[in-house]
Each structure stands twice: as structure tokens, then as C-alpha cells.
Amino acid sequence: MITKWLASVESLEEAKSLVEQLPHILDMKNPSEGALGALNHQTVTEIVNWINKGCLCSATVGDLPMQAEITSVAIRNMAETGVDYVKIGLFDEPGLIQCIQQLEPTIKSLSTPVIAVIFADQLPQQKLIPLLAKTGFTGVMLDTARKDGQGLLNHLSVEVLQQFVVEAKSAGMLCGLAGALRIEDIETLSPLQPDYLGFRSALCQQHHRTNRLDPELAKQIQNKLNAALPKVLAC
């Protein structure tokens, strides 16, 4: 299996800067508004129209409270922009499980797949993957909630990440790994065979997630993934 990659952009200008090295998934979020800050719907729609199926697109709905009424509206509104996937963050709050359960009618009624994001630095005590699959989520990814320079591998071991990938795939879900990933992390994470790896800070100048994107770094990520492929196939 080939691990694909996701690049997060915050504007049409940033999306266009990656035109020579488009990721497999162009993800849209506002990095200055928290872990999964949302872009306005007009900007998302502009990017979707510009990319014109050149690659898949996803968009986050923001760092929302674990209240199904609020999240359902946000999911439906973002789905109307034409993205291929809508991503929602699942924060470790008292109402988390009830919120997931109450989202089932919304998620199963949409034609747009919904991806759940769980945070490695705020992992819930409950095992969520079976519940997410039952609720109708198409995929699940691990990210980091606190954007303080600590990456995914600072919080979870390779063994734990491997277990996450296996559990997600066993449940029939797409799985992704993200969270201040560095280009060097590709060699460590690709053999785990997640469906995709997500990048933001690794694409930015000085590796700061709110800085300008550098298209050359996008090429480095693709080259690194290509170089890791023979090792993955040998596993």
C-alpha cells in the first residue's frame, strides 16, 4: 500500500503555490485559529473550484464544543462547499461519547464522507474507533491539539501508532497521522502504512505553521515518500 500525503492550506494563494506538487489531499484550515481552525465557506469553495478535481479536498469545521447540535450544522454547511471530506475534531470533554452518538443521523445522511480527528496529546480514555465506525465516520486521524512544537512522535510511540493504524483498518476506516510531522518522520511512519500523512508546519518557512508555504518543501515530502516506498513494499 502506498502512503499518501495531505497538505493544509489557509488560502487560495497557498493552494496555488503547490500547483507543481499537489498533495493527494489538499486540506483547508486556519492555523491561527487553533488545532482545526475553520476557513470561511467562500474561501473553501474558491479553492475547491480552483483545484477542479486535480486532487481530493478536505476542510475542517473548527475547534467546536462537543455538542451535536452545533457540530451537525457545521458539518452540513461545510459539506455544501463541495469538499471531498469534512473533518471534525473530537476533544476529550465530558459530552464526547454522547456527541458522537448523536451525530449518527447527520453523518449517515450526508453524501460527503466525514473524518474524525483524535488528539494524541488529549487521548480519550474510551476506545473510540468501534463507535466511530458504527456512527458512520469514513476515517479517523491522529493529530495534536496543542501546537507547541511537540509532534505526534513526542506523544505516542511507534508501537501505539501501529496499533491505531491496525485498529482503524480493521474497522474498515481510512486512517491518517498528523501533528507537527517533520519530513524526517516519513521514514519512521510510512512503514506503519497509514493511508495518509498530514503536513502543515513541515511545509512552512522556518517550519512554523503560520508562516508562508514553501513549494520546495512540498517536493521534498513527495520525494521522501517515494524513497520510502521500496521499504514499505518490502515489509
Side-chain angles (χ1 to χ4, degrees):
M1 190 209 85
I2 300 174
T3 296
K4 300 178 181 180
W5 69 288
L6 170 155
S8 292
V9 299
E10 64 174 335
S11 66
L12 180 59
E13 179 186 6
E14 282 195 347
K16 288 181 176 180
S17 75
L18 298 178
V19 67
E20 293 185 10
Q21 188 58 75
L22 285 174
H24 298 97
I25 300 178
L26 193 69
D27 181 55
M28 288 164 266
K29 67 180 178 184
N30 186 346
S32 64
E33 294 289 337
L36 297 177
L39 293 179
N40 66 67
H41 296 150
Q42 180 179 345
T43 299
V44 174
T45 301
E46 288 175 353
I47 295 173
V48 169
N49 291 339
W50 172 77
I51 205 67
N52 193 27
K53 302 298 182 183
C55 68
L56 296 173
C57 294
S58 64
T60 62
V61 298
D63 292 352
L64 301 177
M66 294 296 90
Q67 299 175 23
E69 300 86 353
I70 295 172
T71 306
S72 291
V73 172
I75 291 172
R76 291 185 182 280
N77 289 342
M78 191 59 77
E80 291 178 358
T81 64
V83 292
D84 297 289
Y85 299 102
V86 174
K87 290 167 55 184
I88 69 168
L90 299 179
F91 296 91
D92 190 20
E93 298 176 4
L96 173 60
I97 298 301
Q98 183 180 23
C99 177
I100 294 172
Q101 293 170 334
Q102 292 177 346
L103 285 173
E104 184 171 351
T106 296
I107 290 173
K108 289 188 173 179
S109 68
L110 285 176
S111 58
T112 305
V114 182
I115 306 294
V117 182
I118 303 172
F119 299 99
D121 47 348
Q122 296 181 11
L123 276 181
Q125 294 297 314
Q126 304 94 328
K127 289 280 189 179
L128 293 185
I129 288 178
L131 175 59
L132 295 175
K134 177 181 180 296
T135 304
F137 283 90
T138 295
V140 58
M141 70 179 295
L142 276 173
D143 202 335
T144 51
R146 294 186 297 272
K147 303 303 181 181
D148 55 5
Q150 295 290 297
L152 184 67
L153 288 165
N154 294 115
H155 297 287
L156 298 176
S157 67
V158 172
E159 291 73 22
V160 171
L161 295 175
Q162 179 71 85
Q163 183 181 7
F164 167 78
V165 171
V166 170
E167 288 179 0
K169 291 190 173 186
S170 296
M173 303 178 76
L174 292 173
C175 66
L177 302 176
L181 297 186
R182 305 169 302 165
I183 294 177
E184 307 91 85
D185 294 333
I186 292 173
E187 191 169 0
T188 301
L189 298 176
S190 287
L192 306 184
Q193 297 190 306
D195 291 296
Y196 60 92
L197 298 175
F199 299 92
R200 171 64 193 184
S201 56
L203 288 163
C204 297
Q205 295 173 357
Q206 290 83 49
H207 303 309
H208 194 287
R209 66 195 301 263
T210 58
N211 285 355
R212 179 181 293 272
L213 257 62
D214 184 343
E216 288 304 312
L217 293 172
K219 294 178 182 178
Q220 289 181 32
I221 288 173
Q222 184 62 68
N223 290 338
K224 198 74 171 179
L225 280 167
N226 291 342
L229 182 57
K231 299 179 183 178
V232 171
L233 294 178
C235 291

